[in-house]
Structures are given as C-alpha cells and as structure tokens.
Amino acid sequence: MAGYRLYFMSRYSGHIEHRREFFADDDDAAISIAVGWSTGQPMELWEGDHKLKRWEAEVIDPD
C-alpha cells in the first residue's frame, strides 16, 4: 500500500484549501477513491513527490 495526498484547491485563487491523506493499493485505486471525494472544485492527487492527476473545476450552472 502506498500513501497518497489529495489536495482540494480553491476554485478562484488556485490555493490549497485542504487535503486528505490516505492509503491505496495502487494508483488506479487512489484515483477511484479521489473521484469519490470530488466536490466539483479543482483537485490534485499526489503520491510522494509525483503528481498523478489534476482535476479542473466543474462548471457552475448559473440556473
């Protein structure tokens, strides 16, 4: 198992708002876990000093 960090970024400033640290069996499992925690804001998933994936902010519908 490897340790991962999921950073939740501000939609407006791009700064880190908070992070979650967790363990997963592999990168694919970590990505699946991160998707489940998505709130629609930008996120970055890291394992050590390696960025695995970045998610951009979901578009906010003005309705």
Side-chain angles (χ1 to χ4, degrees):
M1 282 202 153
Y4 295 87
R5 294 180 320 279
L6 180 62
Y7 293 99
F8 296 84
M9 319 299 278
S10 167
R11 174 182 299 273
Y12 304 104
S13 70
H15 295 147
I16 297 169
E17 290 187 339
H18 64 280
R19 75 173 187 213
R20 291 181 97 165
E21 295 184 11
F22 63 99
F23 292 98
D25 290 332
D26 57 30
D27 293 350
D28 290 333
I31 290 169
S32 293
I33 291 168
V35 167
W37 288 334
S38 176
T39 61
Q41 67 193 100
M43 301 187 310
E44 289 185 357
L45 179 61
W46 289 74
E47 189 271 319
D49 62 353
H50 177 71
K51 182 171 34 173
L52 297 175
K53 185 162 178 68
R54 177 174 171 86
W55 290 267
E56 297 302 329
E58 294 177 9
V59 176
I60 298 174
D61 189 3
D63 287 346

Coordinates of all heavy atoms in Angstrom, one line a residue:
M1 N 0.8 -1.2 0.0 CA 0.0 0.0 0.0 C 0.9 1.2 0.0 O 1.9 1.3 0.7 CB -0.9 0.0 1.2 CG -2.1 -0.8 1.2 SD -3.3 -0.2 2.4 CE -4.7 -0.8 1.6
A2 N 0.4 2.2 -0.7 CA 1.2 3.5 -0.8 C 0.3 4.6 -0.2 O -0.9 4.5 -0.2 CB 1.5 3.8 -2.3
G3 N 1.0 5.6 0.3 CA 0.3 6.8 0.8 C 0.1 7.8 -0.3 O 1.0 8.1 -1.1
Y4 N -1.1 8.4 -0.2 CA -1.5 9.4 -1.2 C -2.0 10.7 -0.5 O -2.5 10.6 0.6 CB -2.6 8.9 -2.2 CG -2.1 7.8 -3.0 CD1 -2.2 6.5 -2.5 CD2 -1.6 8.0 -4.3 CE1 -1.7 5.4 -3.3 CE2 -1.2 6.9 -5.1 CZ -1.2 5.6 -4.6 OH -0.8 4.6 -5.3
R5 N -1.9 11.8 -1.2 CA -2.4 13.1 -0.7 C -3.3 13.7 -1.8 O -2.9 13.8 -2.9 CB -1.3 14.1 -0.4 CG -0.4 13.7 0.8 CD 0.7 14.7 1.1 NE 1.3 15.3 -0.1 CZ 2.3 14.7 -0.8 NH1 2.7 13.5 -0.6 NH2 2.8 15.4 -1.8
L6 N -4.5 14.0 -1.4 CA -5.5 14.7 -2.3 C -5.7 16.1 -1.9 O -6.1 16.3 -0.7 CB -6.8 13.9 -2.3 CG -7.9 14.5 -3.2 CD1 -7.5 14.4 -4.7 CD2 -9.2 13.7 -3.1
Y7 N -5.3 17.0 -2.7 CA -5.4 18.4 -2.4 C -6.6 19.0 -3.1 O -6.8 18.8 -4.3 CB -4.2 19.2 -2.9 CG -2.9 18.9 -2.2 CD1 -2.0 18.0 -2.7 CD2 -2.6 19.4 -1.0 CE1 -0.8 17.6 -2.1 CE2 -1.4 19.1 -0.3 CZ -0.6 18.2 -0.9 OH 0.6 17.9 -0.2
F8 N -7.4 19.7 -2.3 CA -8.6 20.4 -2.8 C -8.2 21.9 -2.9 O -7.8 22.5 -2.0 CB -9.8 20.3 -1.8 CG -10.2 18.8 -1.6 CD1 -9.6 18.0 -0.7 CD2 -11.3 18.4 -2.4 CE1 -10.0 16.7 -0.6 CE2 -11.8 17.1 -2.2 CZ -11.1 16.2 -1.3
M9 N -8.3 22.4 -4.1 CA -7.9 23.7 -4.5 C -9.0 24.7 -4.5 O -10.2 24.3 -4.9 CB -7.2 23.7 -5.8 CG -6.2 22.5 -6.1 SD -4.9 22.4 -4.9 CE -3.8 23.5 -5.7
S10 N -8.7 25.9 -4.2 CA -9.8 27.0 -4.4 C -10.1 27.2 -5.8 O -9.2 27.3 -6.7 CB -9.3 28.3 -3.8 OG -10.1 29.4 -4.2
R11 N -11.4 27.2 -6.1 CA -11.9 27.4 -7.5 C -11.4 28.8 -8.0 O -11.2 29.0 -9.2 CB -13.4 27.4 -7.4 CG -14.1 27.7 -8.7 CD -15.6 27.6 -8.5 NE -16.0 26.3 -8.1 CZ -16.3 25.3 -9.0 NH1 -16.2 25.5 -10.3 NH2 -16.8 24.1 -8.5
Y12 N -11.2 29.8 -7.1 CA -10.9 31.1 -7.5 C -9.5 31.5 -7.5 O -8.9 32.2 -8.4 CB -11.8 32.1 -6.7 CG -13.3 31.7 -6.8 CD1 -13.9 31.1 -5.8 CD2 -14.0 32.0 -8.0 CE1 -15.2 30.7 -5.9 CE2 -15.3 31.6 -8.2 CZ -15.9 31.0 -7.1 OH -17.2 30.6 -7.2
S13 N -8.8 31.1 -6.4 CA -7.4 31.5 -6.2 C -6.4 30.5 -6.7 O -5.2 30.8 -6.9 CB -7.1 31.9 -4.8 OG -7.1 30.7 -3.9
G14 N -6.8 29.2 -6.7 CA -5.9 28.1 -7.0 C -5.1 27.6 -5.8 O -4.4 26.7 -6.0
H15 N -5.3 28.3 -4.7 CA -4.5 27.9 -3.5 C -5.2 26.6 -2.9 O -6.3 26.4 -3.0 CB -4.5 29.0 -2.5 CG -3.7 30.2 -2.9 ND1 -4.1 31.4 -2.5 CD2 -2.6 30.3 -3.7 CE1 -3.2 32.3 -3.1 NE2 -2.4 31.6 -3.8
I16 N -4.4 25.9 -2.1 CA -4.8 24.7 -1.4 C -5.8 25.1 -0.3 O -5.4 25.9 0.5 CB -3.7 23.9 -0.9 CG1 -2.8 23.4 -2.0 CG2 -4.2 22.7 0.0 CD1 -1.5 22.8 -1.6
E17 N -7.0 24.5 -0.3 CA -7.9 24.8 0.8 C -7.8 23.8 1.9 O -7.9 24.1 3.1 CB -9.4 24.8 0.3 CG -9.7 26.0 -0.6 CD -11.1 26.2 -1.0 OE1 -11.9 25.2 -0.9 OE2 -11.5 27.3 -1.3
H18 N -7.7 22.5 1.5 CA -7.4 21.4 2.5 C -7.0 20.2 1.7 O -6.9 20.2 0.5 CB -8.7 21.2 3.3 CG -9.8 20.6 2.6 ND1 -10.7 21.4 1.9 CD2 -10.3 19.4 2.4 CE1 -11.6 20.7 1.3 NE2 -11.4 19.5 1.6
R19 N -6.6 19.2 2.5 CA -6.1 18.0 1.9 C -6.6 16.8 2.7 O -6.9 16.9 3.8 CB -4.6 18.0 1.8 CG -3.9 17.7 3.1 CD -2.4 17.5 3.0 NE -1.9 17.1 4.3 CZ -0.7 17.5 4.7 NH1 0.1 18.2 4.0 NH2 -0.3 17.0 5.9
R20 N -6.6 15.6 2.0 CA -6.9 14.4 2.6 C -5.7 13.4 2.3 O -5.2 13.3 1.2 CB -8.1 13.7 2.1 CG -9.4 14.5 2.5 CD -10.6 13.9 1.9 NE -11.2 13.0 3.0 CZ -12.4 12.5 2.9 NH1 -13.2 12.8 1.9 NH2 -12.9 11.8 3.9
E21 N -5.2 12.7 3.4 CA -4.2 11.7 3.2 C -4.8 10.4 3.4 O -5.7 10.2 4.2 CB -3.1 12.0 4.2 CG -2.4 13.3 4.0 CD -1.2 13.5 4.9 OE1 -0.8 12.5 5.6 OE2 -0.7 14.6 5.0
F22 N -4.4 9.4 2.5 CA -5.0 8.1 2.6 C -4.1 7.1 2.0 O -3.1 7.4 1.3 CB -6.4 8.1 1.9 CG -6.3 8.4 0.4 CD1 -6.3 7.3 -0.5 CD2 -6.3 9.7 -0.1 CE1 -6.3 7.6 -1.9 CE2 -6.2 10.0 -1.4 CZ -6.3 8.9 -2.3
F23 N -4.3 5.8 2.2 CA -3.6 4.7 1.6 C -4.5 4.0 0.5 O -5.7 3.9 0.7 CB -3.2 3.7 2.7 CG -2.2 4.2 3.6 CD1 -2.6 4.8 4.8 CD2 -0.8 4.3 3.3 CE1 -1.6 5.3 5.7 CE2 0.1 4.8 4.2 CZ -0.3 5.3 5.4
A24 N -3.8 3.5 -0.5 CA -4.5 2.7 -1.5 C -3.5 1.7 -2.1 O -2.3 1.8 -1.9 CB -5.0 3.6 -2.7
D25 N -4.1 0.6 -2.6 CA -3.3 -0.5 -3.2 C -2.4 -0.1 -4.3 O -1.3 -0.6 -4.5 CB -4.2 -1.6 -3.6 CG -4.8 -2.3 -2.4 OD1 -4.2 -2.3 -1.3 OD2 -5.9 -2.9 -2.5
D26 N -2.9 0.8 -5.2 CA -2.2 1.3 -6.3 C -2.7 2.6 -6.8 O -3.7 3.1 -6.3 CB -2.2 0.2 -7.4 CG -3.5 -0.2 -7.9 OD1 -4.5 0.7 -7.9 OD2 -3.7 -1.3 -8.3
D27 N -2.1 3.2 -7.9 CA -2.5 4.5 -8.4 C -4.0 4.5 -8.9 O -4.7 5.4 -8.7 CB -1.6 4.9 -9.6 CG -0.2 5.2 -9.1 OD1 0.0 5.3 -7.9 OD2 0.7 5.4 -10.0
D28 N -4.4 3.4 -9.6 CA -5.8 3.3 -10.1 C -6.8 3.3 -9.0 O -7.8 4.0 -9.0 CB -6.0 2.1 -11.0 CG -5.2 2.1 -12.3 OD1 -5.0 3.3 -12.8 OD2 -4.9 1.1 -12.8
A29 N -6.5 2.6 -7.9 CA -7.4 2.6 -6.7 C -7.4 4.0 -6.1 O -8.5 4.5 -5.7 CB -6.9 1.6 -5.7
A30 N -6.3 4.7 -6.0 CA -6.2 6.0 -5.4 C -7.0 7.0 -6.2 O -7.7 7.8 -5.7 CB -4.8 6.5 -5.3
I31 N -7.0 6.9 -7.6 CA -7.7 7.8 -8.4 C -9.2 7.5 -8.2 O -10.0 8.5 -8.1 CB -7.3 7.6 -9.9 CG1 -5.9 8.2 -10.1 CG2 -8.3 8.2 -10.8 CD1 -5.3 7.8 -11.5
S32 N -9.6 6.3 -8.1 CA -11.0 6.0 -7.9 C -11.5 6.5 -6.5 O -12.6 7.1 -6.4 CB -11.3 4.4 -7.9 OG -11.0 3.9 -9.1
I33 N -10.7 6.4 -5.5 CA -11.1 7.0 -4.2 C -11.2 8.5 -4.3 O -12.2 9.1 -3.8 CB -10.0 6.6 -3.1 CG1 -10.1 5.1 -2.9 CG2 -10.2 7.4 -1.9 CD1 -8.9 4.6 -2.1
A34 N -10.3 9.1 -5.0 CA -10.3 10.6 -5.1 C -11.5 11.1 -5.9 O -12.2 12.1 -5.5 CB -9.0 11.1 -5.9
V35 N -11.9 10.4 -6.9 CA -13.1 10.7 -7.7 C -14.3 10.7 -6.8 O -15.2 11.5 -6.8 CB -13.3 9.8 -8.9 CG1 -14.7 9.9 -9.5 CG2 -12.2 10.1 -9.9
G36 N -14.4 9.7 -5.9 CA -15.5 9.6 -4.9 C -15.6 10.8 -4.0 O -16.7 11.0 -3.4
W37 N -14.5 11.4 -3.7 CA -14.4 12.6 -2.8 C -14.6 13.9 -3.5 O -14.5 15.0 -2.9 CB -13.2 12.6 -2.0 CG -13.1 11.5 -0.9 CD1 -14.1 10.9 -0.3 CD2 -11.9 10.9 -0.4 NE1 -13.6 10.0 0.6 CE2 -12.3 10.0 0.6 CE3 -10.5 11.1 -0.6 CZ2 -11.4 9.2 1.3 CZ3 -9.6 10.4 0.1 CH2 -10.0 9.4 1.0
S38 N -14.7 13.9 -4.8 CA -14.8 15.1 -5.6 C -16.0 16.0 -5.2 O -17.1 15.5 -4.9 CB -14.9 14.8 -7.1 OG -15.1 16.0 -7.8
T39 N -15.7 17.3 -5.1 CA -16.8 18.2 -4.7 C -17.0 19.2 -5.9 O -17.8 20.2 -5.7 CB -16.3 19.0 -3.5 OG1 -15.1 19.7 -3.8 CG2 -16.1 18.1 -2.3
G40 N -16.3 19.0 -7.0 CA -16.5 19.9 -8.1 C -15.4 20.9 -8.2 O -15.3 21.7 -9.2
Q41 N -14.6 21.1 -7.1 CA -13.6 22.1 -7.2 C -12.3 21.4 -7.7 O -12.2 20.2 -7.8 CB -13.3 22.6 -5.8 CG -12.7 21.6 -4.8 CD -12.8 22.1 -3.4 OE1 -13.7 21.7 -2.6 NE2 -11.8 22.9 -3.0
P42 N -11.3 22.2 -8.1 CA -10.1 21.6 -8.7 C -9.4 20.7 -7.6 O -9.5 21.0 -6.4 CB -9.2 22.8 -9.0 CG -10.1 24.0 -9.0 CD -11.2 23.6 -8.1
M43 N -8.8 19.6 -8.0 CA -8.1 18.7 -7.1 C -6.8 18.3 -7.7 O -6.7 18.2 -9.0 CB -9.0 17.5 -6.8 CG -10.3 17.8 -6.2 SD -11.2 16.2 -5.6 CE -11.1 15.2 -7.1
E44 N -5.8 17.9 -6.9 CA -4.6 17.3 -7.3 C -4.3 16.1 -6.5 O -4.4 16.2 -5.2 CB -3.4 18.2 -7.3 CG -3.5 19.3 -8.3 CD -2.2 20.2 -8.3 OE1 -1.3 20.0 -7.4 OE2 -2.2 21.1 -9.1
L45 N -4.0 15.0 -7.1 CA -3.6 13.7 -6.4 C -2.1 13.5 -6.5 O -1.6 13.5 -7.6 CB -4.4 12.6 -7.0 CG -4.1 11.2 -6.3 CD1 -4.5 11.2 -4.9 CD2 -4.9 10.1 -7.1
W46 N -1.5 13.3 -5.3 CA 0.0 13.1 -5.3 C 0.3 11.8 -4.6 O -0.4 11.5 -3.6 CB 0.6 14.3 -4.5 CG 0.6 15.6 -5.3 CD1 -0.5 16.4 -5.5 CD2 1.7 16.2 -5.9 NE1 -0.1 17.5 -6.2 CE2 1.3 17.4 -6.5 CE3 3.1 15.9 -6.1 CZ2 2.1 18.3 -7.2 CZ3 3.9 16.7 -6.8 CH2 3.4 17.9 -7.3
E47 N 1.4 11.2 -5.0 CA 2.0 10.1 -4.3 C 3.4 10.4 -4.2 O 4.2 10.5 -5.1 CB 1.8 8.8 -5.1 CG 2.2 7.5 -4.4 CD 3.7 7.2 -4.5 OE1 4.2 7.3 -5.7 OE2 4.3 6.8 -3.5
G48 N 3.8 10.7 -2.9 CA 5.2 11.2 -2.7 C 5.4 12.6 -3.4 O 4.6 13.5 -3.3
D49 N 6.4 12.7 -4.2 CA 6.7 13.9 -4.9 C 6.2 13.9 -6.4 O 6.6 14.6 -7.3 CB 8.2 14.3 -4.9 CG 9.1 13.3 -5.5 OD1 8.6 12.3 -5.9 OD2 10.3 13.6 -5.6
H50 N 5.3 12.9 -6.7 CA 4.8 12.6 -8.0 C 3.3 13.0 -8.1 O 2.5 12.4 -7.4 CB 5.1 11.2 -8.4 CG 4.5 10.8 -9.7 ND1 5.1 11.2 -10.9 CD2 3.5 10.0 -10.1 CE1 4.4 10.7 -11.9 NE2 3.4 10.0 -11.4
K51 N 3.0 14.0 -9.0 CA 1.6 14.3 -9.2 C 1.0 13.3 -10.2 O 1.5 13.2 -11.3 CB 1.5 15.7 -9.7 CG 0.0 16.1 -9.9 CD -0.3 17.6 -10.3 CE 0.7 18.3 -11.1 NZ 0.2 19.6 -11.5
L52 N 0.0 12.6 -9.7 CA -0.7 11.6 -10.5 C -1.7 12.2 -11.4 O -1.9 11.7 -12.6 CB -1.3 10.5 -9.7 CG -0.4 9.7 -8.8 CD1 -1.2 8.8 -7.9 CD2 0.6 8.9 -9.6
K53 N -2.5 13.1 -10.9 CA -3.7 13.6 -11.7 C -4.1 14.9 -11.2 O -4.0 15.2 -10.0 CB -4.8 12.6 -11.6 CG -6.0 12.9 -12.5 CD -6.9 11.7 -12.7 CE -8.1 12.0 -13.6 NZ -7.8 12.4 -14.9
R54 N -4.6 15.7 -12.1 CA -5.3 17.0 -11.7 C -6.7 17.0 -12.3 O -6.8 16.7 -13.5 CB -4.5 18.2 -12.2 CG -5.2 19.5 -11.9 CD -4.4 20.7 -12.2 NE -5.2 21.9 -12.1 CZ -5.3 22.6 -11.0 NH1 -4.7 22.2 -9.8 NH2 -6.1 23.7 -10.9
W55 N -7.6 17.4 -11.5 CA -9.0 17.6 -12.0 C -9.3 19.1 -12.0 O -9.0 19.8 -11.0 CB -10.0 16.9 -11.0 CG -10.0 15.5 -11.1 CD1 -10.7 14.6 -11.9 CD2 -9.2 14.6 -10.3 NE1 -10.5 13.3 -11.6 CE2 -9.5 13.3 -10.6 CE3 -8.2 14.8 -9.3 CZ2 -8.9 12.1 -10.0 CZ3 -7.6 13.7 -8.7 CH2 -8.0 12.4 -9.1
E56 N -9.8 19.6 -13.0 CA -10.2 21.0 -13.1 C -11.6 21.2 -12.5 O -12.3 20.2 -12.3 CB -10.2 21.5 -14.6 CG -8.8 21.4 -15.2 CD -7.7 22.3 -14.5 OE1 -8.1 23.3 -13.9 OE2 -6.6 21.8 -14.6
A57 N -11.9 22.4 -12.2 CA -13.2 22.7 -11.5 C -14.3 22.4 -12.5 O -14.2 22.6 -13.7 CB -13.3 24.2 -11.2
E58 N -15.4 21.9 -12.0 CA -16.6 21.7 -12.8 C -17.2 23.0 -13.0 O -17.2 23.9 -12.1 CB -17.6 20.7 -12.0 CG -17.0 19.3 -11.9 CD -18.0 18.4 -11.1 OE1 -19.1 18.8 -10.8 OE2 -17.5 17.3 -10.8
V59 N -17.9 23.2 -14.1 CA -18.5 24.4 -14.5 C -19.8 24.5 -13.6 O -20.6 23.6 -13.4 CB -18.9 24.4 -16.0 CG1 -19.7 25.6 -16.3 CG2 -17.7 24.3 -16.9
I60 N -19.9 25.7 -13.0 CA -21.1 26.0 -12.2 C -22.2 26.5 -13.1 O -22.1 27.5 -13.9 CB -20.8 27.1 -11.2 CG1 -19.7 26.6 -10.2 CG2 -22.0 27.5 -10.4 CD1 -19.2 27.6 -9.2
D61 N -23.4 25.9 -13.0 CA -24.5 26.2 -13.8 C -25.2 27.4 -13.1 O -25.6 27.3 -12.0 CB -25.5 25.1 -14.0 CG -26.6 25.3 -14.9 OD1 -26.6 26.4 -15.6 OD2 -27.5 24.4 -15.1
P62 N -25.4 28.6 -13.8 CA -26.0 29.7 -13.2 C -27.5 29.7 -12.9 O -28.1 30.6 -12.4 CB -25.7 30.9 -14.2 CG -25.6 30.2 -15.5 CD -25.0 28.8 -15.2
D63 N -28.1 28.6 -13.3 CA -29.6 28.5 -13.1 C -30.0 28.6 -11.7 O -29.8 28.2 -10.7 CB -30.1 27.1 -13.6 CG -30.1 27.2 -15.2 OD1 -30.0 28.3 -15.7 OD2 -30.3 26.1 -15.8

